[in-house]
Amino acid sequence: MPKAVQYNKGSIIYFENDKDERIFILQKGVVILTSTDPDTGTTETQQLSNGEFFGVKSALGHFPREETATVLQDAVAVSMTVPEFETIFSNNKQVVYKMLRVFSGQLRQVHKKTQALLQNDNNANQQNGMLSVAKSFYDDQNYRACCDVCIKYLTHFPTAFDKDQVAKLYADSKLRFEKLSKKQDTAAAATANYSGALKQFMLPAFERFQKKYEPEQVIICEFEPGDSFYLIQSGEVQLVKCINGAKKNLDILKPGEFFGEMAILDNSPRSATCMAIGPVECLEFNKANFEVLVTGNPQIAILLLKIFCKRIYDQKRRLKILTIKDNTARIADTFCMFDEMNPTAKPNEKSRRFNVTQQDVASWSGLPLQVVQEEIHKFSSSGKLQTFDTYMIVNNINDMRRTVEFKSVQRK
């Protein structure tokens, strides 16, 4: 059961990087949260108000604390476990909605900092942004996706000054796609795997929300207005981002995962393009029916909270990589991140296999492919890394950690 804990002035409730899965509510007193900005390295401080939650993100996301909680004046805080939090607050829409909005805002801020470090054009308007996405798909000979983006563009901006250019791009892409389709068989059927949390969405009431997508079909496009989000029932969805005219792979989502969920909380344009890797089945929800969905399935709101927690952590982790100036250390830290996101069942073993390509490393590290190839060649020549077509083996993950630490000391 949740319990009220008294803390004396000057005490620490938890330290940054602690592994502690308790969630707190401040009842009285003064508590401040102190953290380090991953971009600037400066210290940030937040004073909590009575009734405010803290420790939520790291507890729900199962990752180390991001901040230190210090008691400035004698305080009382209610402490609870994650299961206790879920039991008590899953039906409290006001609390969950507030957290979702706060986490959405935090994710947006980290996302903007990441864009700035990648030198993405944050000032690009929606029309120019969507056109750049369409052109990047065309340049990669992904004509089906280019057609989808062009259609979305013309649907959202039918009177745009460059609508004729977009229409021409669509017509050209359509012809090229049809020629390729005659040579390829893309009629593979999706294999549904409705297990675990997905079973609750197999009721007839959810059939009206179901959407099906073909391989390489764009479900949502970066920069377009968003008013719906999706739950994957079967298949896989790839998240990509257009950076300076080139596509960067962000993630691959599997059945049971959500995407586009930020659209239910604000009216900002889509922050990434989501496309079907193979045949995909999704449930589509919009702002109007989201409340109905949560009312009947309160665990969905908790699941969304956990998704935001993980994505904020992942985005901050990537932001930390992008702040590293030394290319060798940046790539080494990218492998460290892969290890953190995919913990091994045998932690005592030093060797790690990552199913990534050099292009994947370039995307995550924010470095040109040629630079990454040169740095990976150095790692391979020194016996620290083995490279293959579809995967890499780090012979000793501690070597990567030591490289990051050594370069960090050199910078000081």
Side-chain angles (χ1 to χ4, degrees):
M1 292 293 293
K3 58 181 180 180
V5 182
Q6 293 186 345
Y7 295 95
N8 296 326
K9 177 182 178 180
S11 61
I12 304 295
I13 300 176
Y14 57 76
F15 286 95
E16 184 177 0
N17 294 321
D18 280 355
K19 292 185 177 180
D20 179 356
E21 297 190 357
R22 292 174 297 167
I23 294 175
F24 300 89
I25 307 175
L26 180 63
Q27 284 193 319
K28 66 178 181 178
V30 179
V31 173
I32 62 168
L33 304 180
T34 306
S35 60
T36 303
D37 186 289
D39 182 16
T40 64
T42 58
T43 299
E44 297 182 335
T45 302
Q46 175 191 356
Q47 181 172 322
L48 298 174
S49 302
N50 289 342
E52 195 166 354
F53 289 81
F54 60 103
V56 178
K57 290 202 301 294
S58 56
L60 292 180
H62 304 291
F63 50 78
R65 297 294 195 189
E66 295 181 305
E67 70 285 320
T68 297
T70 305
V71 181
L72 290 189
Q73 294 180 9
D74 290 354
V76 176
V78 174
S79 169
M80 68 189 77
T81 64
V82 171
E84 289 169 345
F85 170 82
E86 293 179 4
T87 299
I88 297 172
F89 293 101
S90 61
N91 288 306
N92 191 324
K93 290 187 294 184
Q94 182 178 0
V95 169
V96 174
Y97 273 45
K98 181 179 179 179
M99 287 187 178
L100 283 172
R101 284 191 291 269
V102 170
F103 291 168
S104 174
Q106 291 178 359
L107 185 57
R108 288 282 182 192
Q109 290 302 313
V110 180
H111 179 72
K112 287 180 180 178
K113 291 181 178 180
T114 303
Q115 283 184 312
L117 287 175
L118 289 170
Q119 297 183 336
N120 196 25
D121 186 2
N122 291 316
N123 296 320
N125 61 40
Q126 291 178 254
Q127 296 177 28
N128 290 340
M130 289 187 70
L131 181 55
S132 68
V133 173
K135 288 179 177 178
S136 70
F137 279 121
Y138 183 89
D139 292 340
D140 286 348
Q141 298 183 8
N142 193 330
Y143 302 118
R144 168 60 192 268
C146 180
C147 288
D148 292 338
V149 176
C150 289
I151 290 173
K152 289 177 178 292
Y153 181 102
L154 295 171
T155 300
H156 290 298
F157 311 110
T159 60
F161 74 94
D162 53 0
K163 63 181 184 299
D164 292 338
Q165 178 186 355
V166 177
K168 184 178 179 180
L169 181 62
Y170 167 77
D172 186 19
S173 298
K174 186 171 184 294
L175 285 174
R176 293 175 182 270
F177 172 67
E178 290 173 347
K179 288 181 180 179
L180 289 175
S181 297
K182 292 178 181 179
K183 301 177 182 180
Q184 301 172 352
D185 180 12
T186 59
T191 301
N193 181 19
Y194 304 138
S195 60
L198 285 175
K199 289 183 178 179
Q200 61 190 295
F201 295 104
M202 296 306 109
L203 300 174
F206 289 102
E207 290 180 358
R208 61 194 177 102
F209 300 115
Q210 191 174 71
K211 301 285 184 180
K212 295 184 179 182
Y213 299 93
E214 298 175 358
E216 298 188 348
Q217 185 172 358
V218 173
I219 303 172
I220 62 177
C221 176
E222 184 181 0
F223 297 105
E224 76 171 320
D227 60 1
S228 58
F229 72 104
Y230 302 80
L231 168 70
I232 304 172
Q233 291 182 297
S234 65
E236 296 182 337
V237 174
Q238 185 174 22
L239 273 63
V240 299
K241 188 165 186 63
C242 185
I243 305 293
N244 298 325
K247 296 200 308 300
K248 302 289 186 181
N249 296 323
L250 298 181
D251 202 354
I252 293 178
L253 305 181
K254 301 180 183 299
E257 295 191 88
F258 286 96
F259 62 94
E261 67 280 349
M262 291 171 71
I264 65 173
L265 301 168
D266 55 43
N267 296 315
S268 302
R270 299 291 193 184
S271 60
T273 296
C274 302
M275 59 184 295
I277 294 178
V280 169
E281 293 183 358
C282 292
L283 295 179
E284 180 185 55
F285 301 101
N286 57 36
K287 293 180 182 179
N289 55 42
F290 174 68
E291 185 171 348
V292 176
L293 170 69
V294 173
T295 300
N297 303 270
Q299 65 275 18
I300 297 303
I302 298 295
L303 179 58
L304 281 174
L305 279 177
K306 293 180 178 179
I307 289 173
F308 272 113
C309 293
K310 182 179 185 302
R311 291 190 179 166
I312 291 172
Y313 177 78
D314 289 349
Q315 196 70 31
K316 283 187 174 181
R317 184 62 182 87
R318 190 186 183 201
L319 180 62
K320 177 185 174 184
I321 292 174
L322 298 178
T323 61
I324 299 175
K325 303 300 182 184
D326 183 88
N327 292 338
T328 303
R330 185 185 289 199
I331 292 175
D333 201 36
T334 299
F335 284 111
C336 292
M337 181 191 68
F338 291 155
D339 185 51
E340 294 164 13
M341 292 182 173
N342 302 279
T344 178
K346 300 178 180 179
N348 292 330
E349 290 188 1
K350 298 177 181 179
S351 176
R352 298 286 191 275
R353 169 174 168 158
F354 301 114
N355 296 322
V356 296
T357 65
Q358 295 190 39
Q359 181 60 63
D360 293 329
V361 176
S363 297
W364 282 104
S365 64
L367 292 171
L369 178 58
Q370 182 178 353
V371 173
V372 170
Q373 290 172 335
E374 293 172 355
E375 293 295 336
I376 285 180
H377 177 71
K378 294 177 185 177
F379 280 124
S380 300
S381 299
S382 61
K384 296 179 180 179
L385 185 68
Q386 301 176 54
T387 60
F388 301 88
D389 290 340
T390 59
Y391 66 96
M392 298 184 192
I393 295 178
V394 175
N395 294 326
N396 187 339
I397 192 65
N398 292 329
D399 285 340
M400 296 298 173
R401 297 189 183 115
R402 282 191 287 265
T403 297
V404 177
E405 292 171 0
F406 176 71
K407 297 293 184 179
S408 298
V409 172
Q410 282 189 325
R411 292 197 303 269
K412 293 180 180 179

mmCIF file of all heavy atoms in Angstrom, residues 71-103:
data_model
loop_
_atom_site.group_PDB
_atom_site.id
_atom_site.type_symbol
_atom_site.label_atom_id
_atom_site.label_comp_id
_atom_site.label_asym_id
_atom_site.label_seq_id
_atom_site.Cartn_x
_atom_site.Cartn_y
_atom_site.Cartn_z
ATOM 1 N N VAL A 71 15.489 17.551 -0.416
ATOM 2 C CA VAL A 71 14.524 18.187 0.490
ATOM 3 C C VAL A 71 15.119 19.486 1.020
ATOM 4 O O VAL A 71 16.133 19.481 1.718
ATOM 5 C CB VAL A 71 14.177 17.245 1.663
ATOM 6 C CG1 VAL A 71 13.155 17.915 2.596
ATOM 7 C CG2 VAL A 71 13.628 15.928 1.136
ATOM 8 N N LEU A 72 14.499 20.624 0.687
ATOM 9 C CA LEU A 72 14.970 21.926 1.167
ATOM 10 C C LEU A 72 14.354 22.298 2.501
ATOM 11 O O LEU A 72 14.961 23.002 3.314
ATOM 12 C CB LEU A 72 14.652 23.012 0.139
ATOM 13 C CG LEU A 72 15.435 22.989 -1.175
ATOM 14 C CD1 LEU A 72 15.151 24.252 -1.962
ATOM 15 C CD2 LEU A 72 16.928 22.848 -0.930
ATOM 16 N N GLN A 73 13.102 21.863 2.721
ATOM 17 C CA GLN A 73 12.444 22.049 4.013
ATOM 18 C C GLN A 73 11.762 20.729 4.368
ATOM 19 O O GLN A 73 11.383 19.969 3.470
ATOM 20 C CB GLN A 73 11.403 23.179 3.947
ATOM 21 C CG GLN A 73 11.988 24.554 3.721
ATOM 22 C CD GLN A 73 10.912 25.638 3.673
ATOM 23 O OE1 GLN A 73 9.745 25.373 3.977
ATOM 24 N NE2 GLN A 73 11.309 26.845 3.309
ATOM 25 N N ASP A 74 11.628 20.453 5.660
ATOM 26 C CA ASP A 74 11.004 19.196 6.088
ATOM 27 C C ASP A 74 9.780 18.907 5.220
ATOM 28 O O ASP A 74 8.940 19.800 5.000
ATOM 29 C CB ASP A 74 10.583 19.278 7.554
ATOM 30 C CG ASP A 74 11.794 19.304 8.480
ATOM 31 O OD1 ASP A 74 12.918 19.147 7.970
ATOM 32 O OD2 ASP A 74 11.603 19.494 9.691
ATOM 33 N N ALA A 75 9.684 17.668 4.742
ATOM 34 C CA ALA A 75 8.643 17.341 3.774
ATOM 35 C C ALA A 75 8.022 15.982 4.063
ATOM 36 O O ALA A 75 8.604 15.130 4.748
ATOM 37 C CB ALA A 75 9.224 17.353 2.362
ATOM 38 N N VAL A 76 6.829 15.817 3.531
ATOM 39 C CA VAL A 76 6.129 14.523 3.562
ATOM 40 C C VAL A 76 5.740 14.179 2.131
ATOM 41 O O VAL A 76 5.152 15.001 1.419
ATOM 42 C CB VAL A 76 4.872 14.569 4.451
ATOM 43 C CG1 VAL A 76 4.118 13.236 4.373
ATOM 44 C CG2 VAL A 76 5.238 14.891 5.888
ATOM 45 N N ALA A 77 6.100 12.967 1.706
ATOM 46 C CA ALA A 77 5.764 12.522 0.353
ATOM 47 C C ALA A 77 5.159 11.124 0.421
ATOM 48 O O ALA A 77 5.604 10.283 1.204
ATOM 49 C CB ALA A 77 7.004 12.519 -0.538
ATOM 50 N N VAL A 78 4.142 10.913 -0.389
ATOM 51 C CA VAL A 78 3.534 9.585 -0.485
ATOM 52 C C VAL A 78 4.353 8.761 -1.467
ATOM 53 O O VAL A 78 4.614 9.196 -2.594
ATOM 54 C CB VAL A 78 2.070 9.669 -0.956
ATOM 55 C CG1 VAL A 78 1.499 8.271 -1.184
ATOM 56 C CG2 VAL A 78 1.234 10.429 0.058
ATOM 57 N N SER A 79 4.769 7.578 -1.044
ATOM 58 C CA SER A 79 5.578 6.688 -1.876
ATOM 59 C C SER A 79 4.734 5.493 -2.293
ATOM 60 O O SER A 79 3.997 4.927 -1.476
ATOM 61 C CB SER A 79 6.806 6.221 -1.091
ATOM 62 O OG SER A 79 7.460 5.168 -1.777
ATOM 63 N N MET A 80 4.833 5.121 -3.588
ATOM 64 C CA MET A 80 4.062 3.969 -4.077
ATOM 65 C C MET A 80 4.842 3.243 -5.163
ATOM 66 O O MET A 80 5.720 3.815 -5.810
ATOM 67 C CB MET A 80 2.699 4.423 -4.618
ATOM 68 C CG MET A 80 2.749 5.249 -5.888
ATOM 69 S SD MET A 80 1.150 5.964 -6.307
ATOM 70 C CE MET A 80 1.102 7.324 -5.138
ATOM 71 N N THR A 81 4.516 1.987 -5.363
ATOM 72 C CA THR A 81 5.122 1.196 -6.424
ATOM 73 C C THR A 81 4.377 1.456 -7.726
ATOM 74 O O THR A 81 3.289 2.049 -7.744
ATOM 75 C CB THR A 81 5.050 -0.297 -6.101
ATOM 76 O OG1 THR A 81 3.673 -0.705 -6.054
ATOM 77 C CG2 THR A 81 5.721 -0.593 -4.759
ATOM 78 N N VAL A 82 4.956 1.005 -8.826
ATOM 79 C CA VAL A 82 4.300 1.161 -10.127
ATOM 80 C C VAL A 82 2.947 0.441 -10.162
ATOM 81 O O VAL A 82 1.949 1.026 -10.602
ATOM 82 C CB VAL A 82 5.221 0.676 -11.271
ATOM 83 C CG1 VAL A 82 4.459 0.625 -12.594
ATOM 84 C CG2 VAL A 82 6.434 1.592 -11.401
ATOM 85 N N PRO A 83 2.840 -0.816 -9.705
ATOM 86 C CA PRO A 83 1.528 -1.468 -9.690
ATOM 87 C C PRO A 83 0.503 -0.707 -8.856
ATOM 88 O O PRO A 83 -0.679 -0.633 -9.223
ATOM 89 C CB PRO A 83 1.821 -2.848 -9.094
ATOM 90 C CG PRO A 83 3.247 -3.113 -9.443
ATOM 91 C CD PRO A 83 3.908 -1.774 -9.313
ATOM 92 N N GLU A 84 0.929 -0.145 -7.725
ATOM 93 C CA GLU A 84 0.008 0.632 -6.891
ATOM 94 C C GLU A 84 -0.448 1.888 -7.640
ATOM 95 O O GLU A 84 -1.631 2.254 -7.594
ATOM 96 C CB GLU A 84 0.677 1.010 -5.575
ATOM 97 C CG GLU A 84 0.880 -0.176 -4.641
ATOM 98 C CD GLU A 84 1.779 0.136 -3.462
ATOM 99 O OE1 GLU A 84 2.483 1.184 -3.493
ATOM 100 O OE2 GLU A 84 1.797 -0.653 -2.497
ATOM 101 N N PHE A 85 0.490 2.553 -8.335
ATOM 102 C CA PHE A 85 0.134 3.741 -9.120
ATOM 103 C C PHE A 85 -0.895 3.376 -10.195
ATOM 104 O O PHE A 85 -1.890 4.084 -10.387
ATOM 105 C CB PHE A 85 1.387 4.322 -9.766
ATOM 106 C CG PHE A 85 1.122 5.398 -10.776
ATOM 107 C CD1 PHE A 85 0.884 6.709 -10.375
ATOM 108 C CD2 PHE A 85 1.089 5.102 -12.136
ATOM 109 C CE1 PHE A 85 0.619 7.701 -11.317
ATOM 110 C CE2 PHE A 85 0.831 6.090 -13.076
ATOM 111 C CZ PHE A 85 0.591 7.388 -12.655
ATOM 112 N N GLU A 86 -0.664 2.274 -10.888
ATOM 113 C CA GLU A 86 -1.572 1.863 -11.954
ATOM 114 C C GLU A 86 -2.957 1.545 -11.405
ATOM 115 O O GLU A 86 -3.979 1.910 -12.001
ATOM 116 C CB GLU A 86 -1.001 0.653 -12.688
ATOM 117 C CG GLU A 86 0.274 0.962 -13.465
ATOM 118 C CD GLU A 86 0.819 -0.274 -14.171
ATOM 119 O OE1 GLU A 86 0.167 -1.333 -14.124
ATOM 120 O OE2 GLU A 86 1.910 -0.177 -14.765
ATOM 121 N N THR A 87 -3.000 0.872 -10.271
ATOM 122 C CA THR A 87 -4.288 0.499 -9.679
ATOM 123 C C THR A 87 -5.081 1.726 -9.247
ATOM 124 O O THR A 87 -6.292 1.824 -9.477
ATOM 125 C CB THR A 87 -4.062 -0.419 -8.459
ATOM 126 O OG1 THR A 87 -3.387 -1.608 -8.879
ATOM 127 C CG2 THR A 87 -5.391 -0.797 -7.821
ATOM 128 N N ILE A 88 -4.388 2.681 -8.647
ATOM 129 C CA ILE A 88 -5.075 3.846 -8.085
ATOM 130 C C ILE A 88 -5.454 4.867 -9.144
ATOM 131 O O ILE A 88 -6.546 5.450 -9.111
ATOM 132 C CB ILE A 88 -4.186 4.508 -7.007
ATOM 133 C CG1 ILE A 88 -3.958 3.542 -5.845
ATOM 134 C CG2 ILE A 88 -4.822 5.808 -6.505
ATOM 135 C CD1 ILE A 88 -2.936 4.033 -4.836
ATOM 136 N N PHE A 89 -4.558 5.106 -10.127
ATOM 137 C CA PHE A 89 -4.751 6.246 -11.021
ATOM 138 C C PHE A 89 -5.136 5.888 -12.458
ATOM 139 O O PHE A 89 -5.368 6.786 -13.265
ATOM 140 C CB PHE A 89 -3.491 7.105 -11.036
ATOM 141 C CG PHE A 89 -3.210 7.790 -9.740
ATOM 142 C CD1 PHE A 89 -2.265 7.284 -8.861
ATOM 143 C CD2 PHE A 89 -3.918 8.924 -9.372
ATOM 144 C CE1 PHE A 89 -2.013 7.900 -7.652
ATOM 145 C CE2 PHE A 89 -3.677 9.553 -8.159
ATOM 146 C CZ PHE A 89 -2.722 9.039 -7.291
ATOM 147 N N SER A 90 -5.225 4.607 -12.794
ATOM 148 C CA SER A 90 -5.568 4.263 -14.182
ATOM 149 C C SER A 90 -6.957 4.756 -14.563
ATOM 150 O O SER A 90 -7.232 5.025 -15.738
ATOM 151 C CB SER A 90 -5.470 2.746 -14.389
ATOM 152 O OG SER A 90 -6.381 2.059 -13.538
ATOM 153 N N ASN A 91 -7.852 4.896 -13.591
ATOM 154 C CA ASN A 91 -9.210 5.385 -13.872
ATOM 155 C C ASN A 91 -9.354 6.891 -13.646
ATOM 156 O O ASN A 91 -10.441 7.436 -13.842
ATOM 157 C CB ASN A 91 -10.233 4.652 -12.994
ATOM 158 C CG ASN A 91 -10.429 3.211 -13.434
ATOM 159 O OD1 ASN A 91 -10.720 2.950 -14.597
ATOM 160 N ND2 ASN A 91 -10.253 2.280 -12.502
ATOM 161 N N ASN A 92 -8.272 7.540 -13.236
ATOM 162 C CA ASN A 92 -8.319 8.985 -12.993
ATOM 163 C C ASN A 92 -7.850 9.704 -14.260
ATOM 164 O O ASN A 92 -6.670 9.975 -14.441
ATOM 165 C CB ASN A 92 -7.429 9.346 -11.805
ATOM 166 C CG ASN A 92 -7.634 10.781 -11.345
ATOM 167 O OD1 ASN A 92 -7.866 11.674 -12.161
ATOM 168 N ND2 ASN A 92 -7.533 11.002 -10.046
ATOM 169 N N LYS A 93 -8.788 9.999 -15.154
ATOM 170 C CA LYS A 93 -8.441 10.580 -16.455
ATOM 171 C C LYS A 93 -7.776 11.945 -16.299
ATOM 172 O O LYS A 93 -6.888 12.296 -17.085
ATOM 173 C CB LYS A 93 -9.702 10.701 -17.328
ATOM 174 C CG LYS A 93 -10.246 9.377 -17.804
ATOM 175 C CD LYS A 93 -11.378 9.569 -18.780
ATOM 176 C CE LYS A 93 -12.580 10.195 -18.105
ATOM 177 N NZ LYS A 93 -13.743 10.303 -19.038
ATOM 178 N N GLN A 94 -8.183 12.710 -15.294
ATOM 179 C CA GLN A 94 -7.608 14.048 -15.118
ATOM 180 C C GLN A 94 -6.112 13.964 -14.843
ATOM 181 O O GLN A 94 -5.319 14.695 -15.443
ATOM 182 C CB GLN A 94 -8.316 14.774 -13.982
ATOM 183 C CG GLN A 94 -7.822 16.202 -13.764
ATOM 184 C CD GLN A 94 -8.585 16.904 -12.660
ATOM 185 O OE1 GLN A 94 -9.489 16.343 -12.046
ATOM 186 N NE2 GLN A 94 -8.219 18.158 -12.400
ATOM 187 N N VAL A 95 -5.716 13.056 -13.957
ATOM 188 C CA VAL A 95 -4.294 12.896 -13.624
ATOM 189 C C VAL A 95 -3.519 12.370 -14.821
ATOM 190 O O VAL A 95 -2.446 12.883 -15.171
ATOM 191 C CB VAL A 95 -4.129 11.945 -12.420
ATOM 192 C CG1 VAL A 95 -2.661 11.555 -12.236
ATOM 193 C CG2 VAL A 95 -4.658 12.602 -11.153
ATOM 194 N N VAL A 96 -4.061 11.336 -15.472
ATOM 195 C CA VAL A 96 -3.353 10.721 -16.596
ATOM 196 C C VAL A 96 -3.227 11.697 -17.755
ATOM 197 O O VAL A 96 -2.163 11.808 -18.374
ATOM 198 C CB VAL A 96 -4.073 9.433 -17.036
ATOM 199 C CG1 VAL A 96 -3.420 8.863 -18.292
ATOM 200 C CG2 VAL A 96 -4.018 8.392 -15.927
ATOM 201 N N TYR A 97 -4.298 12.431 -18.066
ATOM 202 C CA TYR A 97 -4.247 13.404 -19.160
ATOM 203 C C TYR A 97 -3.207 14.481 -18.884
ATOM 204 O O TYR A 97 -2.485 14.914 -19.782
ATOM 205 C CB TYR A 97 -5.624 14.056 -19.360
ATOM 206 C CG TYR A 97 -6.540 13.299 -20.285
ATOM 207 C CD1 TYR A 97 -6.692 11.925 -20.186
ATOM 208 C CD2 TYR A 97 -7.268 13.961 -21.264
ATOM 209 C CE1 TYR A 97 -7.537 11.226 -21.022
ATOM 210 C CE2 TYR A 97 -8.118 13.271 -22.117
ATOM 211 C CZ TYR A 97 -8.246 11.905 -21.978
ATOM 212 O OH TYR A 97 -9.087 11.218 -22.812
ATOM 213 N N LYS A 98 -3.146 14.938 -17.630
ATOM 214 C CA LYS A 98 -2.168 15.972 -17.280
ATOM 215 C C LYS A 98 -0.755 15.452 -17.497
ATOM 216 O O LYS A 98 0.101 16.155 -18.064
ATOM 217 C CB LYS A 98 -2.359 16.406 -15.828
ATOM 218 C CG LYS A 98 -1.387 17.503 -15.397
ATOM 219 C CD LYS A 98 -1.624 17.922 -13.950
ATOM 220 C CE LYS A 98 -0.629 19.004 -13.543
ATOM 221 N NZ LYS A 98 -0.851 19.446 -12.128
ATOM 222 N N MET A 99 -0.501 14.222 -17.070
ATOM 223 C CA MET A 99 0.826 13.639 -17.269
ATOM 224 C C MET A 99 1.137 13.473 -18.744
ATOM 225 O O MET A 99 2.264 13.732 -19.191
ATOM 226 C CB MET A 99 0.917 12.278 -16.561
ATOM 227 C CG MET A 99 1.003 12.369 -15.059
ATOM 228 S SD MET A 99 1.316 10.755 -14.312
ATOM 229 C CE MET A 99 1.408 11.212 -12.585
ATOM 230 N N LEU A 100 0.157 13.032 -19.516
ATOM 231 C CA LEU A 100 0.376 12.868 -20.943
ATOM 232 C C LEU A 100 0.753 14.190 -21.599
ATOM 233 O O LEU A 100 1.657 14.249 -22.441
ATOM 234 C CB LEU A 100 -0.880 12.293 -21.617
ATOM 235 C CG LEU A 100 -1.143 10.796 -21.431
ATOM 236 C CD1 LEU A 100 -2.512 10.429 -21.973
ATOM 237 C CD2 LEU A 100 -0.064 9.961 -22.107
ATOM 238 N N ARG A 101 0.075 15.269 -21.209
ATOM 239 C CA ARG A 101 0.381 16.585 -21.787
ATOM 240 C C ARG A 101 1.780 17.047 -21.372
ATOM 241 O O ARG A 101 2.535 17.603 -22.182
ATOM 242 C CB ARG A 101 -0.677 17.602 -21.362
ATOM 243 C CG ARG A 101 -2.000 17.458 -22.109
ATOM 244 C CD ARG A 101 -2.908 18.664 -21.846
ATOM 245 N NE ARG A 101 -3.382 18.670 -20.470
ATOM 246 C CZ ARG A 101 -4.511 18.103 -20.079
ATOM 247 N NH1 ARG A 101 -5.262 17.454 -20.951
ATOM 248 N NH2 ARG A 101 -4.893 18.158 -18.810
ATOM 249 N N VAL A 102 2.137 16.826 -20.104
ATOM 250 C CA VAL A 102 3.471 17.222 -19.631
ATOM 251 C C VAL A 102 4.544 16.446 -20.369
ATOM 252 O O VAL A 102 5.528 17.008 -20.867
ATOM 253 C CB VAL A 102 3.589 17.000 -18.114
ATOM 254 C CG1 VAL A 102 5.043 17.174 -17.659
ATOM 255 C CG2 VAL A 102 2.706 17.990 -17.355
ATOM 256 N N PHE A 103 4.372 15.122 -20.486
ATOM 257 C CA PHE A 103 5.369 14.293 -21.155
ATOM 258 C C PHE A 103 5.448 14.618 -22.640
ATOM 259 O O PHE A 103 6.530 14.589 -23.238
ATOM 260 C CB PHE A 103 5.045 12.812 -20.962
ATOM 261 C CG PHE A 103 5.214 12.326 -19.550
ATOM 262 C CD1 PHE A 103 4.728 11.096 -19.152
ATOM 263 C CD2 PHE A 103 5.866 13.105 -18.605
ATOM 264 C CE1 PHE A 103 4.891 10.644 -17.858
ATOM 265 C CE2 PHE A 103 6.030 12.678 -17.295
ATOM 266 C CZ PHE A 103 5.534 11.434 -16.928
#
